[in-house]
Amino acid sequence: MVDENKLGVNDNDMSNKISTWGYSSFIITLTKSGFLGMGSYIMFKMSNIDTYIAAIIGFIIGFIPLLLFIFIVKNSENQDILDLNITIFGKKIGTILNIILNSLVFFMGAIILYSTSEFICIQYMPDTAINYIRILLLVPIVYAASKNINVIAKISQIIFIINLVIFILTVFGLFGSLDIENMFPILENGITPSLKSAIIYAIFATFPIFMLLIIPQSKVMQEKHMTRKIFFMYILANIMLIIILFTTILILGKELIPLFRYPEYIALKRFELFTIIERLENTLSLQFIFNAAIYLILSFHFVVLSLKKVFKSNQKENLFPYIIGIIVFVLSNFMFKSSSQATEFIEKYIPYVLSSIYVLVIILVIALVIRKIKKSKIYSLKSN
């Protein structure tokens, strides 16, 4: 383990700490980060106009991994997930788990970069080389990832406020285009497709949240009701997601939804406010890009901290974000030969890739419970 004081980080320095609102703001941005062109696309393919039902069920299912996340946070003893794995499982097994965890975070970062850059290329800049778009995305992301977590938290808070304003404007602007008839027939193909879709929703909504375990609680200002704030942000994020999916259904309907890779974006084309403000879909869809950016920043930061613990060097640590950015850029170029291949891979395999994080989480929770029981037994023996 690396002594963070040797790296110039003092946990008692308030300037290096983040507020509970800053910490919980990550919940709302990360929860929504994997849906553009991935989570929502898979769900619409599975359950079409019943996707909003699947989202509601998935939102409820998502409380299970959220509670596991909170349990790990409360029992981490001011360690981040990397140090906690080594403490609980020993150096060999803990290192293997950390490698798997970093690989998952890194791989999903490359997938989200690919998906986001493809979205920008198709909808914003069709005549621009996609590599140029990826570089434009990576430069600010790499720079932000090189900063302390308190700086990244402030970025997340700003994005949360911007996204909330955009979301409210979007709801008002699309209200006149909603057609309630488009939600019928309900459960035409039975409940099974919606249940499968609900699991996809829960996976995509909660997987990114576990990246916050890289932040030790010693770096968070301990305030009252922190758990309530986490629950509040999770609920708010899901309300926003469900409304986005529901309005997409009411605008496009059963026949049009399967035709598009990004139906949420197509629905935004119907935006009209006060009959004079319209054609703002590119501005309104920035909320999707901002959420993806926060995932990328935090995933890069996650891997950077892991590398610092391995190499234990102050001289080279500033290069780590740029090295990661170059590797992700190269990987996103050679990962798929075509857009259709990428879409097929995301639809068929990404849910299974993401599911592996829950296996690691369950193993860690079981280990923490066992350690807690052992400690309580030792304490009771000593007291006797």
Side-chain angles (χ1 to χ4, degrees):
M1 292 187 291
V2 178
D3 185 352
E4 291 190 330
N5 290 325
K6 291 179 181 179
L7 294 175
V9 178
N10 183 359
D11 286 337
N12 294 321
D13 185 357
M14 294 302 291
S15 64
N16 288 322
K17 290 180 177 284
I18 62 177
S19 67
T20 52
W21 277 116
Y23 186 83
S24 56
S25 73
F26 281 121
I27 301 291
I28 196 165
T29 48
L30 290 174
T31 296
K32 299 188 292 180
S33 63
F35 281 86
L36 178 66
M38 292 193 294
S40 58
Y41 173 78
I42 297 170
M43 289 180 69
F44 279 127
K45 288 275 285 185
M46 283 185 171
S47 50
N48 203 313
I49 58 173
D50 294 323
T51 294
Y52 73 96
I53 297 174
I56 294 169
I57 298 170
F59 159 53
I60 296 168
I61 295 172
F63 277 105
I64 298 172
L66 185 67
L67 288 169
L68 295 178
F69 166 78
I70 292 169
F71 177 82
I72 295 172
V73 168
K74 288 185 175 181
N75 292 276
S76 61
E77 298 181 352
N78 288 331
Q79 291 181 305
D80 61 41
I81 184 66
L82 305 174
D83 291 340
L84 185 62
N85 280 338
I86 291 173
T87 301
I88 296 293
F89 300 105
K91 191 169 183 180
K92 287 184 180 179
I93 297 176
T95 300
I96 292 170
L97 291 175
N98 287 342
I99 290 171
I100 295 171
L101 195 57
N102 274 278
S103 299
L104 281 170
V105 171
F106 186 82
F107 178 72
M108 278 308 298
I111 292 288
I112 287 179
L113 176 66
Y114 184 95
S115 181
T116 306
S117 58
E118 187 180 50
F119 169 74
I120 294 171
C121 185
I122 293 171
Q123 307 297 350
Y124 285 68
M125 308 163 72
D127 298 323
T128 305
I130 196 165
N131 281 338
Y132 179 69
I133 295 170
R134 284 177 187 148
I135 291 170
L136 287 177
L137 280 172
L138 280 171
V139 169
I141 286 166
V142 167
Y143 179 75
S146 67
K147 300 300 179 182
N148 291 332
I149 192 63
N150 62 317
V151 177
I152 299 173
K154 289 174 183 176
I155 295 171
S156 178
Q157 284 177 284
I158 292 168
I159 285 178
F160 162 61
I161 294 168
I162 293 172
N163 281 357
L164 189 60
V165 172
I166 291 174
F167 174 78
I168 293 169
L169 284 174
T170 302
V171 171
F172 280 109
L174 293 178
F175 189 78
S177 300
L178 304 182
D179 184 357
I180 200 70
E181 293 297 324
N182 283 335
M183 67 181 288
F184 298 104
I186 297 173
L187 298 176
E188 184 180 18
N189 297 314
I191 191 67
T192 303
S194 294
L195 292 176
K196 290 179 179 178
S197 186
I199 294 170
I200 297 297
Y201 180 94
I203 290 171
F204 274 92
T206 57
F207 163 77
I209 294 173
F210 288 97
M211 282 200 301
L212 292 178
L213 294 175
I214 196 63
I215 306 172
Q217 289 306 291
S218 58
K219 289 188 177 180
V220 182
M221 295 178 188
Q222 297 304 312
E223 301 173 11
K224 290 182 178 180
H225 312 308
M226 179 177 170
T227 302
R228 289 185 186 179
K229 290 176 182 177
I230 291 173
F231 275 114
F232 172 76
M233 285 299 196
Y234 174 74
I235 292 168
L236 180 59
N238 281 275
I239 289 171
M240 293 171 73
L241 274 170
I242 291 167
I243 290 173
I244 289 169
L245 295 171
F246 191 54
T247 53
T248 301
I249 290 165
L250 294 185
I251 290 171
L252 297 181
K254 180 181 177 180
E255 304 299 329
L256 292 179
I257 285 174
L259 302 179
F260 302 107
R261 171 76 187 278
Y262 308 102
E264 317 96 297
Y265 175 83
I266 302 301
L268 291 176
K269 290 180 179 288
R270 299 283 186 88
F271 179 88
E272 186 178 302
L273 198 60
F274 307 125
T275 69
I276 54 172
I277 304 175
E278 54 185 17
R279 301 295 297 174
L280 293 179
E281 61 271 12
N282 286 345
T283 303
L284 298 174
S285 61
L286 285 173
Q287 58 185 305
F288 307 135
I289 298 171
F290 289 154
N291 292 329
I294 287 295
Y295 179 93
L296 288 168
I297 292 169
L298 201 57
S299 65
F300 279 32
H301 186 76
F302 190 107
V303 179
V304 165
L305 290 181
S306 300
L307 291 174
K308 285 181 181 179
K309 291 176 184 293
V310 172
F311 292 100
K312 303 179 184 179
S313 171
N314 272 328
Q315 295 178 345
K316 297 179 181 179
E317 66 182 40
N318 291 332
L319 295 175
F320 291 152
Y322 301 95
I323 294 170
I324 294 166
I326 292 169
I327 295 172
V328 169
F329 175 78
V330 172
L331 185 62
S332 63
N333 271 280
F334 293 99
M335 193 178 295
F336 305 110
K337 293 180 181 179
S338 64
S339 176
S340 58
Q341 188 185 52
T343 303
E344 184 180 1
F345 180 85
I346 288 168
E347 184 180 351
K348 288 184 177 180
Y349 301 109
I350 287 298
Y352 297 104
V353 173
L354 295 183
S355 297
S356 58
I357 185 66
Y358 300 102
V359 177
L360 298 178
V361 167
I362 291 169
I363 292 171
L364 180 57
V365 167
I366 291 170
L368 284 170
V369 170
I370 292 171
R371 188 174 73 158
K372 202 171 181 180
I373 292 170
K374 285 181 178 179
K375 281 186 175 181
S376 64
K377 284 182 178 179
I378 292 170
Y379 178 78
S380 61
L381 286 171
K382 285 182 178 180
S383 62
N384 292 330

